[in-house]
Amino acid sequence: MTTRGTGFQIGRRGLLAGAAGLSALSLLPGQLRAEDAPKRGGLLRMGIGGGSTTDDFDLRKLNDWVPVNQAYMVMNGLVEIDADNIARPELFESWEAGAGALEWVFKVRQGVTFHNGKTLTADDVVYSLNLHRGDSSSAARSVAAAFADVQKLSEHEVKITLASGNADLPYVLSDYHFLVVPTGFDDWANPIGTGPFIPDSIEPGVRARFTRNPNYWKPGCANVDAVEVIVINDIAARTNALMSGQVQAINSLDFKTVDLLARNKNLQIVRSKGGQHYTFLMDCTQAPFTDVNVRQAVKYAVNREQLLQTALLGYGTLGNDHPIPVTDRFFNTELAQRAYDPEKAKFFLKQAGMDGLKLTLQSSDAAFPGAVDAAAIYRTAAAPAGIEVSIQREPADGYWDNVWMKAPFCMSYWGGRPTADQMLTIAYSSASAQNDTHWANADFDRLLGEARALLDDQKRREIYWELQRMIHDEGGAMIPMFGDYLDGVSKKVKGVTPHPMFNLMGARLAEKVWLDS
């Protein structure tokens, strides 16, 4: 089989473009018109939630919205996911796969320079990929573990040999951890990349300023003179900053204020459907969650419809305790939707030898806008099941370092991934550094590897359906809902479109937009 970067679709345009489920509805006034053309100049001010004083540009650690957005301002990826959820060439200009999709040869784009003047070569790509391999502490280590070998063939060719075939490799390489830095680079407080902007000043967790890269290689991009990022973790403060004109774009709107903001004639609301989902995480290695019956009880004690309508105001879809969205071609359509059932929750508690259960749920709006409210809704719903929930509200700053993956029971979110394999691998493989429920199942790992190597979509579908069932029945994640990505942007910002991957145009808004003069 041979697949090239400019045409790697294999029938996926119809499957994935439709699956992306993008929607602006009436909420996106001022959409890009054919006669609009990018303009140069101006300062773009962005208020972004999801930042911490512990943030830096270490590609192995990127774990929240501010560092991811800022990383894309400074650096480029190897492959970009477009608005139709299709893998497109970026620093990899094209690619070819050998028989069985085991060996891939990638052409490195020529004529690209780093901010320090160094020319991009295959050495930089090999170094950047190897940051995530072997004994690396990278969050993408489990994904990169599939790379049996990463080899420079020439100054502008890289060969990736896989441990087992993967027809989705270009999608895998779109992961935001796989950005590119110069070979040998390790000064993560002072990043150097090939991206659209050059860092001017950075105060982690507070603010940063970036100026246009005058030698940027992408036509029609890097249109503004400078970008200023203000870290505003509090959603009310972020919304007020947008309404007052202090900033021109914000991420992760409060679902309760979307309808009000949509009536503001100076603003546009960008609504994108994708794989973003919200999780109540049970650490399967800590009591009482070592017992699968307790995990089942917790899952039956949530009123999903109430959460969707109250916490998200209907801007999303019901979740079924696995991470694959209905928009994914491998979504299990035959897995029954778990309903709110306090009596069944009591049954599972009895199976665990319990008459009741007391839990402390650690929550913060850093997890997602409205997370604390969602925790309160769950507390009320769980009471009739004999589950007494105490909510421990945590500060936003440091939440991902101090609570996530450490607390026995806490809240989180996932931004989704372009393929089922990526989502399942990074969040549920026992080898993943971001397996945030610490759930380990050898059969799951084995089947996941088998599905990845198959080129027969029907056989892959059968396995992915089984993997979703396993997580649904046994896993430690209670996933009550998928939420639409909701951003607020000034109408003076042009070129804004919905995107299936993350808020703010897949974290690339600064690169794509321009300002109305």
Side-chain angles (χ1 to χ4, degrees), residues 103-181:
E103 294 185 350
W104 293 73
V105 176
F106 295 86
K107 297 282 189 182
V108 178
R109 191 175 298 277
Q110 300 186 43
V112 176
T113 58
F114 287 95
H115 300 153
N116 62 358
K118 181 189 180 302
T119 301
L120 172 72
T121 69
D123 291 316
D124 306 307
V125 173
V126 172
Y127 171 79
S128 298
L129 287 174
N130 282 339
L131 287 170
H132 311 282
R133 301 179 66 214
D135 294 331
S136 171
S137 61
S138 173
R141 182 187 62 197
S142 62
V143 178
F147 307 160
D149 190 32
V150 178
Q151 178 185 3
K152 171 186 174 182
L153 296 182
S154 69
E155 286 299 296
H156 297 287
E157 278 191 324
V158 171
K159 180 180 178 181
I160 298 178
T161 303
L162 302 176
S164 59
N166 189 344
D168 289 337
L169 181 59
Y171 286 87
V172 172
L173 294 173
S174 73
D175 190 299
Y176 54 76
H177 295 95
F178 296 141
L179 302 182
V180 177
V181 293

Coordinates of all heavy atoms in Angstrom, one line a residue, residues 103-181:
E103 N 6.5 0.5 7.5 CA 7.6 1.4 7.2 C 7.1 2.6 6.4 O 6.4 2.5 5.4 CB 8.7 0.7 6.4 CG 9.4 -0.4 7.2 CD 10.6 -0.9 6.4 OE1 10.7 -0.6 5.2 OE2 11.4 -1.7 7.0
W104 N 7.4 3.8 6.9 CA 6.9 5.0 6.3 C 8.1 5.9 6.0 O 9.0 6.1 6.9 CB 6.0 5.8 7.3 CG 4.7 5.1 7.6 CD1 4.5 4.0 8.3 CD2 3.4 5.5 7.1 NE1 3.2 3.7 8.4 CE2 2.5 4.6 7.6 CE3 3.0 6.6 6.3 CZ2 1.1 4.7 7.4 CZ3 1.6 6.7 6.0 CH2 0.7 5.8 6.6
V105 N 8.1 6.5 4.9 CA 9.2 7.5 4.5 C 8.5 8.9 4.4 O 7.5 9.0 3.6 CB 9.9 7.1 3.2 CG1 10.9 8.2 2.8 CG2 10.6 5.8 3.4
F106 N 9.1 9.9 5.1 CA 8.5 11.2 5.1 C 9.5 12.2 4.5 O 10.7 12.1 4.8 CB 8.2 11.6 6.5 CG 7.1 10.8 7.2 CD1 7.4 9.6 7.9 CD2 5.8 11.3 7.2 CE1 6.4 8.9 8.5 CE2 4.8 10.5 7.8 CZ 5.1 9.3 8.4
K107 N 9.0 13.1 3.7 CA 9.8 14.1 3.1 C 9.8 15.4 4.0 O 8.7 15.8 4.4 CB 9.3 14.5 1.7 CG 9.4 13.4 0.7 CD 10.8 13.2 0.2 CE 10.8 12.3 -1.0 NZ 12.2 12.1 -1.5
V108 N 10.9 15.8 4.5 CA 11.0 17.0 5.3 C 10.9 18.3 4.5 O 11.6 18.4 3.5 CB 12.2 17.0 6.2 CG1 12.3 18.3 7.1 CG2 12.3 15.8 7.1
R109 N 10.0 19.2 4.8 CA 9.9 20.4 4.0 C 11.2 21.2 3.9 O 11.9 21.4 4.9 CB 8.8 21.3 4.6 CG 8.3 22.4 3.7 CD 7.2 23.2 4.3 NE 6.0 22.3 4.5 CZ 5.1 22.0 3.5 NH1 5.3 22.6 2.3 NH2 4.1 21.2 3.7
Q110 N 11.5 21.6 2.7 CA 12.7 22.4 2.5 C 12.4 23.9 2.5 O 11.3 24.3 2.3 CB 13.4 22.0 1.2 CG 13.8 20.5 1.1 CD 14.5 20.2 -0.1 OE1 15.4 20.9 -0.5 NE2 14.2 19.1 -0.8
G111 N 13.5 24.7 2.8 CA 13.3 26.1 2.8 C 12.7 26.7 4.1 O 12.3 27.9 4.1
V112 N 12.7 25.9 5.2 CA 12.1 26.4 6.4 C 13.3 26.6 7.4 O 14.2 25.8 7.5 CB 11.2 25.3 7.0 CG1 10.7 25.7 8.4 CG2 10.0 25.0 6.1
T113 N 13.2 27.8 8.1 CA 14.3 28.1 9.0 C 13.7 28.3 10.4 O 12.6 28.7 10.6 CB 15.0 29.4 8.6 OG1 14.1 30.5 8.5 CG2 15.7 29.2 7.3
F114 N 14.5 28.0 11.4 CA 14.2 28.3 12.8 C 14.4 29.7 13.1 O 15.0 30.5 12.3 CB 15.1 27.4 13.8 CG 14.7 25.9 13.8 CD1 15.4 25.1 12.9 CD2 13.7 25.5 14.6 CE1 15.1 23.7 12.9 CE2 13.4 24.1 14.6 CZ 14.1 23.2 13.8
H115 N 13.9 30.2 14.2 CA 14.0 31.6 14.6 C 15.4 32.0 14.8 O 15.7 33.2 14.7 CB 13.2 31.8 15.9 CG 11.7 31.5 15.9 ND1 11.0 31.1 16.9 CD2 10.9 31.5 14.8 CE1 9.7 30.9 16.6 NE2 9.6 31.1 15.3
N116 N 16.3 31.1 15.1 CA 17.7 31.4 15.2 C 18.5 31.4 13.9 O 19.7 31.5 13.9 CB 18.4 30.5 16.3 CG 18.4 29.1 15.9 OD1 17.8 28.7 14.8 ND2 18.9 28.2 16.7
G117 N 17.8 31.1 12.8 CA 18.4 31.1 11.5 C 18.8 29.8 11.0 O 19.2 29.6 9.9
K118 N 18.8 28.8 11.9 CA 19.1 27.4 11.5 C 18.1 26.9 10.5 O 16.9 27.0 10.6 CB 19.2 26.5 12.7 CG 19.6 25.1 12.3 CD 19.5 24.1 13.5 CE 19.9 22.7 13.1 NZ 19.2 22.1 12.0
T119 N 18.6 26.2 9.4 CA 17.7 25.5 8.5 C 17.2 24.2 9.0 O 18.0 23.4 9.6 CB 18.5 25.3 7.1 OG1 19.0 26.6 6.6 CG2 17.6 24.6 6.1
L120 N 15.9 24.0 8.8 CA 15.3 22.7 9.2 C 15.8 21.6 8.4 O 15.9 21.6 7.2 CB 13.8 22.8 9.0 CG 13.0 21.5 9.2 CD1 13.0 21.2 10.7 CD2 11.6 21.6 8.7
T121 N 16.2 20.5 9.1 CA 16.7 19.3 8.4 C 16.1 18.1 9.1 O 15.4 18.2 10.1 CB 18.2 19.1 8.4 OG1 18.7 18.9 9.8 CG2 18.9 20.4 7.9
A122 N 16.4 16.9 8.5 CA 15.9 15.6 9.1 C 16.4 15.4 10.5 O 15.8 14.8 11.3 CB 16.3 14.5 8.2
D123 N 17.6 15.9 10.8 CA 18.2 15.8 12.2 C 17.3 16.4 13.2 O 17.1 15.8 14.3 CB 19.6 16.4 12.2 CG 20.6 15.7 11.4 OD1 20.7 14.5 11.5 OD2 21.4 16.4 10.7
D124 N 16.7 17.5 12.9 CA 15.8 18.2 13.9 C 14.6 17.4 14.1 O 14.1 17.3 15.3 CB 15.5 19.6 13.4 CG 16.7 20.4 13.0 OD1 17.5 20.6 13.9 OD2 16.7 20.9 11.9
V125 N 14.1 16.8 13.1 CA 12.9 16.0 13.2 C 13.2 14.7 14.0 O 12.4 14.3 14.9 CB 12.3 15.6 11.8 CG1 11.2 14.6 12.0 CG2 11.8 16.8 11.1
V126 N 14.3 14.0 13.7 CA 14.6 12.8 14.5 C 14.8 13.1 15.9 O 14.3 12.4 16.8 CB 15.9 12.2 13.9 CG1 16.4 11.1 14.7 CG2 15.6 11.7 12.4
Y127 N 15.5 14.2 16.2 CA 15.8 14.6 17.6 C 14.4 14.9 18.3 O 14.2 14.4 19.5 CB 16.6 15.9 17.7 CG 16.8 16.5 19.1 CD1 17.6 15.9 20.0 CD2 16.0 17.6 19.4 CE1 17.7 16.4 21.3 CE2 16.1 18.1 20.7 CZ 16.9 17.5 21.6 OH 17.0 18.1 22.9
S128 N 13.5 15.6 17.7 CA 12.3 16.0 18.3 C 11.4 14.8 18.6 O 10.8 14.7 19.6 CB 11.5 17.0 17.4 OG 12.3 18.2 17.3
L129 N 11.4 13.8 17.7 CA 10.6 12.6 17.9 C 11.2 11.8 19.0 O 10.5 11.2 19.8 CB 10.5 11.8 16.6 CG 9.6 12.4 15.5 CD1 9.7 11.5 14.3 CD2 8.1 12.4 16.0
N130 N 12.5 11.7 19.0 CA 13.2 10.9 20.1 C 13.1 11.5 21.5 O 13.3 10.7 22.4 CB 14.7 10.8 19.7 CG 14.9 9.7 18.6 OD1 14.1 8.9 18.4 ND2 16.1 9.8 17.9
L131 N 12.6 12.7 21.6 CA 12.3 13.3 22.9 C 11.3 12.5 23.7 O 11.2 12.4 24.9 CB 11.9 14.7 22.8 CG 12.9 15.8 22.5 CD1 12.2 17.1 22.2 CD2 13.9 15.9 23.6
H132 N 10.5 11.8 22.9 CA 9.3 11.0 23.5 C 9.5 9.5 23.5 O 8.6 8.8 23.9 CB 8.1 11.4 22.6 CG 7.9 12.8 22.4 ND1 7.4 13.7 23.3 CD2 8.2 13.6 21.3 CE1 7.3 14.9 22.9 NE2 7.8 14.9 21.6
R133 N 10.7 9.1 23.2 CA 10.9 7.6 23.1 C 11.8 7.1 24.2 O 12.5 7.9 24.9 CB 11.6 7.3 21.7 CG 10.8 7.7 20.5 CD 11.5 7.4 19.2 NE 11.6 5.9 19.1 CZ 12.7 5.3 18.5 NH1 13.7 6.1 18.0 NH2 12.7 4.0 18.4
G134 N 11.8 5.8 24.4 CA 12.7 5.2 25.4 C 12.3 5.6 26.8 O 11.1 5.4 27.2
D135 N 13.3 6.0 27.6 CA 13.1 6.3 29.0 C 12.4 7.7 29.2 O 12.4 8.2 30.3 CB 14.4 6.2 29.8 CG 14.9 4.8 29.8 OD1 14.1 3.9 29.7 OD2 16.2 4.7 29.9
S136 N 12.0 8.3 28.2 CA 11.4 9.6 28.3 C 10.2 9.7 29.2 O 9.5 8.7 29.4 CB 10.9 10.1 26.9 OG 10.2 11.3 27.0
S137 N 10.1 10.8 29.9 CA 8.9 11.1 30.8 C 7.8 11.7 30.0 O 6.8 12.2 30.6 CB 9.4 12.0 31.9 OG 9.8 13.3 31.4
S138 N 7.9 11.7 28.7 CA 6.9 12.4 27.9 C 5.5 11.8 28.1 O 5.3 10.6 28.2 CB 7.3 12.3 26.4 OG 6.2 12.8 25.6
A139 N 4.5 12.7 28.0 CA 3.1 12.3 28.0 C 2.7 11.5 26.8 O 1.7 10.8 26.7 CB 2.2 13.5 28.2
A140 N 3.5 11.7 25.7 CA 3.3 10.9 24.5 C 4.2 9.7 24.4 O 4.3 9.1 23.3 CB 3.6 11.9 23.3
R141 N 4.8 9.3 25.5 CA 5.7 8.1 25.5 C 5.0 6.9 24.9 O 5.6 6.1 24.2 CB 6.2 7.9 26.9 CG 7.2 6.7 27.0 CD 7.6 6.5 28.4 NE 6.4 6.1 29.2 CZ 6.3 6.1 30.5 NH1 7.3 6.5 31.2 NH2 5.2 5.7 31.1
S142 N 3.8 6.6 25.4 CA 3.1 5.4 25.0 C 2.8 5.4 23.5 O 2.8 4.4 22.8 CB 1.8 5.2 25.7 OG 0.9 6.3 25.5
V143 N 2.5 6.6 22.9 CA 2.3 6.7 21.5 C 3.6 6.5 20.7 O 3.7 5.7 19.8 CB 1.7 8.1 21.1 CG1 1.5 8.2 19.6 CG2 0.4 8.3 21.9
A144 N 4.7 7.1 21.2 CA 6.0 7.0 20.5 C 6.6 5.6 20.7 O 7.5 5.3 20.0 CB 6.9 8.1 21.1
A145 N 6.1 4.9 21.7 CA 6.6 3.5 21.9 C 6.4 2.6 20.7 O 7.0 1.6 20.5 CB 6.0 2.9 23.1
A146 N 5.4 3.0 19.8 CA 5.2 2.3 18.6 C 6.2 2.5 17.5 O 6.3 1.7 16.6 CB 3.8 2.7 18.0
F147 N 7.1 3.5 17.7 CA 8.2 3.8 16.8 C 9.4 2.8 17.1 O 10.1 3.1 18.0 CB 8.6 5.2 16.8 CG 7.5 6.2 16.7 CD1 7.7 7.5 17.2 CD2 6.3 5.9 16.2 CE1 6.8 8.5 17.1 CE2 5.3 6.9 16.1 CZ 5.5 8.2 16.5
A148 N 9.5 1.8 16.3 CA 10.6 0.8 16.5 C 11.9 1.5 16.2 O 13.0 1.3 16.8 CB 10.4 -0.4 15.7
D149 N 11.9 2.4 15.2 CA 13.1 3.1 14.7 C 12.7 4.4 14.0 O 11.7 4.4 13.3 CB 13.9 2.2 13.8 CG 15.3 2.8 13.5 OD1 15.8 3.5 14.4 OD2 15.8 2.6 12.4
V150 N 13.5 5.4 14.3 CA 13.3 6.7 13.6 C 14.7 7.0 13.0 O 15.6 7.2 13.8 CB 12.8 7.8 14.6 CG1 12.7 9.2 13.9 CG2 11.5 7.5 15.2
Q151 N 14.7 7.1 11.7 CA 16.0 7.1 11.0 C 16.1 8.2 10.0 O 15.2 8.4 9.2 CB 16.3 5.7 10.4 CG 17.5 5.6 9.6 CD 17.6 4.3 8.8 OE1 16.7 3.5 8.9 NE2 18.7 4.0 8.2
K152 N 17.2 8.9 10.0 CA 17.5 9.9 9.0 C 18.0 9.2 7.7 O 19.0 8.5 7.8 CB 18.5 10.9 9.4 CG 19.1 11.8 8.4 CD 20.2 12.7 8.9 CE 20.8 13.5 7.8 NZ 22.0 14.3 8.4
L153 N 17.3 9.4 6.6 CA 17.7 8.8 5.3 C 18.6 9.7 4.5 O 19.5 9.3 3.8 CB 16.5 8.3 4.5 CG 15.6 7.2 5.0 CD1 14.5 6.9 4.1 CD2 16.5 6.0 5.4
S154 N 18.2 11.0 4.6 CA 19.0 12.1 4.0 C 18.7 13.4 4.7 O 17.9 13.4 5.7 CB 18.6 12.2 2.5 OG 17.3 12.7 2.4
E155 N 19.2 14.5 4.2 CA 19.0 15.8 4.9 C 17.5 16.1 4.9 O 17.0 16.9 5.8 CB 19.7 16.9 4.2 CG 21.2 16.9 4.4 CD 21.5 17.1 5.9 OE1 21.2 18.2 6.4 OE2 22.1 16.2 6.5
H156 N 16.7 15.5 4.0 CA 15.3 15.9 3.9 C 14.4 14.6 3.8 O 13.3 14.7 3.3 CB 15.0 16.8 2.7 CG 15.8 18.1 2.9 ND1 15.4 19.1 3.7 CD2 16.9 18.6 2.3 CE1 16.2 20.1 3.7 NE2 17.1 19.9 2.8
E157 N 14.8 13.5 4.4 CA 14.0 12.3 4.4 C 14.2 11.6 5.8 O 15.3 11.5 6.3 CB 14.4 11.4 3.3 CG 13.8 11.7 2.0 CD 14.0 10.5 1.0 OE1 15.0 9.9 1.1 OE2 13.1 10.3 0.2
V158 N 13.0 11.2 6.4 CA 13.0 10.5 7.6 C 12.2 9.2 7.4 O 11.1 9.2 6.8 CB 12.4 11.3 8.8 CG1 12.2 10.5 10.0 CG2 13.3 12.5 9.1
K159 N 12.7 8.1 7.9 CA 12.0 6.8 7.9 C 11.6 6.4 9.3 O 12.4 6.4 10.2 CB 13.0 5.8 7.3 CG 12.3 4.4 7.2 CD 13.3 3.4 6.6 CE 12.7 2.0 6.5 NZ 13.7 1.0 5.9
I160 N 10.3 6.2 9.4 CA 9.8 5.7 10.7 C 9.4 4.2 10.5 O 8.5 3.9 9.7 CB 8.6 6.5 11.2 CG1 9.1 8.0 11.5 CG2 8.1 5.9 12.5 CD1 8.0 8.9 11.9
T161 N 10.0 3.3 11.3 CA 9.6 1.9 11.2 C 8.8 1.6 12.5 O 9.2 2.0 13.6 CB 10.9 1.0 11.2 OG1 11.7 1.4 10.1 CG2 10.5 -0.4 11.1
L162 N 7.7 1.0 12.3 CA 6.8 0.7 13.4 C 6.9 -0.7 13.9 O 7.3 -1.6 13.2 CB 5.3 1.0 13.0 CG 5.0 2.4 12.5 CD1 3.5 2.4 12.0 CD2 5.2 3.4 13.6
A163 N 6.6 -0.9 15.2 CA 6.7 -2.2 15.8 C 5.6 -3.1 15.2 O 5.7 -4.3 15.0 CB 6.5 -2.1 17.3
S164 N 4.5 -2.4 14.8 CA 3.4 -3.1 14.1 C 2.7 -2.1 13.2 O 2.8 -0.8 13.5 CB 2.4 -3.7 15.0 OG 1.8 -2.7 15.9
G165 N 2.1 -2.5 12.1 CA 1.5 -1.6 11.2 C 0.5 -0.6 11.7 O -0.3 -1.0 12.6
N166 N 0.4 0.6 11.2 CA -0.5 1.6 11.6 C -0.9 2.5 10.5 O -0.1 3.3 10.1 CB 0.0 2.4 12.8 CG -1.1 3.3 13.4 OD1 -2.1 3.5 12.8 ND2 -0.8 3.8 14.6
A167 N -2.1 2.3 9.9 CA -2.5 3.1 8.8 C -2.8 4.5 9.2 O -3.0 5.4 8.3 CB -3.7 2.4 8.1
D168 N -2.9 4.8 10.5 CA -3.2 6.1 11.0 C -2.0 6.9 11.4 O -2.1 7.9 12.0 CB -4.2 6.0 12.2 CG -5.6 5.5 11.9 OD1 -6.0 5.7 10.7 OD2 -6.2 5.0 12.8
L169 N -0.8 6.5 11.0 CA 0.4 7.1 11.5 C 0.4 8.6 11.2 O 0.8 9.4 12.1 CB 1.6 6.5 10.9 CG 3.0 7.1 11.4 CD1 3.1 7.0 12.9 CD2 4.2 6.4 10.7
P170 N 0.0 9.1 10.1 CA 0.0 10.6 9.9 C -0.9 11.3 10.9 O -0.5 12.4 11.4 CB -0.5 10.8 8.5 CG -0.1 9.6 7.8 CD -0.3 8.5 8.8
Y171 N -2.0 10.7 11.3 CA -2.8 11.3 12.3 C -2.1 11.2 13.7 O -2.2 12.2 14.5 CB -4.2 10.5 12.4 CG -5.1 10.8 11.3 CD1 -5.0 10.1 10.1 CD2 -6.0 11.8 11.4 CE1 -5.9 10.4 9.0 CE2 -6.9 12.1 10.3 CZ -6.8 11.4 9.2 OH -7.6 11.7 8.1
V172 N -1.4 10.1 14.0 CA -0.7 10.0 15.2 C 0.4 11.2 15.3 O 0.5 11.8 16.4 CB 0.1 8.7 15.3 CG1 1.0 8.6 16.5 CG2 -1.0 7.5 15.4
L173 N 1.0 11.5 14.2 CA 2.1 12.5 14.2 C 1.5 13.9 14.3 O 2.3 14.9 14.4 CB 2.9 12.3 13.0 CG 3.7 11.0 12.9 CD1 4.4 10.9 11.6 CD2 4.7 11.0 14.0
S174 N 0.2 14.1 14.3 CA -0.4 15.4 14.5 C -0.5 15.7 15.9 O -0.9 16.9 16.3 CB -1.8 15.4 13.8 OG -2.7 14.7 14.6
D175 N -0.2 14.8 16.8 CA -0.3 15.1 18.3 C 0.6 16.3 18.6 O 1.7 16.5 18.1 CB 0.3 13.9 19.0 CG 0.0 14.0 20.5 OD1 0.6 14.9 21.2 OD2 -0.6 13.1 21.1
Y176 N 0.0 17.2 19.5 CA 0.7 18.5 19.8 C 2.0 18.3 20.5 O 2.8 19.3 20.6 CB -0.2 19.4 20.5 CG -0.9 18.9 21.8 CD1 -0.1 18.8 23.0 CD2 -2.2 18.5 21.8 CE1 -0.7 18.3 24.1 CE2 -2.8 18.0 22.9 CZ -2.1 17.9 24.1 OH -2.6 17.4 25.3
H177 N 2.3 17.1 21.0 CA 3.6 16.9 21.7 C 4.7 16.8 20.6 O 5.9 17.0 20.9 CB 3.6 15.6 22.5 CG 2.7 15.7 23.7 ND1 1.4 15.2 23.7 CD2 2.9 16.2 24.9 CE1 0.8 15.5 24.9 NE2 1.7 16.1 25.6
F178 N 4.3 16.4 19.4 CA 5.3 16.1 18.3 C 5.6 17.4 17.5 O 5.6 17.4 16.3 CB 4.8 15.0 17.4 CG 4.7 13.7 18.1 CD1 3.6 12.8 17.8 CD2 5.6 13.2 19.0 CE1 3.5 11.6 18.4 CE2 5.5 12.0 19.6 CZ 4.4 11.2 19.3
L179 N 5.8 18.5 18.2 CA 6.3 19.7 17.6 C 7.8 19.6 17.4 O 8.5 18.7 18.0 CB 5.9 20.9 18.4 CG 4.4 21.1 18.7 CD1 4.2 22.4 19.5 CD2 3.6 21.1 17.4
V180 N 8.4 20.5 16.6 CA 9.8 20.4 16.2 C 10.6 21.5 16.8 O 10.3 22.7 16.6 CB 9.9 20.3 14.7 CG1 11.4 20.2 14.3 CG2 9.1 19.0 14.2
V181 N 11.8 21.1 17.4 CA 12.8 22.1 17.8 C 14.1 21.7 17.2 O 14.3 20.6 16.7 CB 12.9 22.1 19.4 CG1 11.6 22.6 20.0 CG2 13.2 20.7 19.9

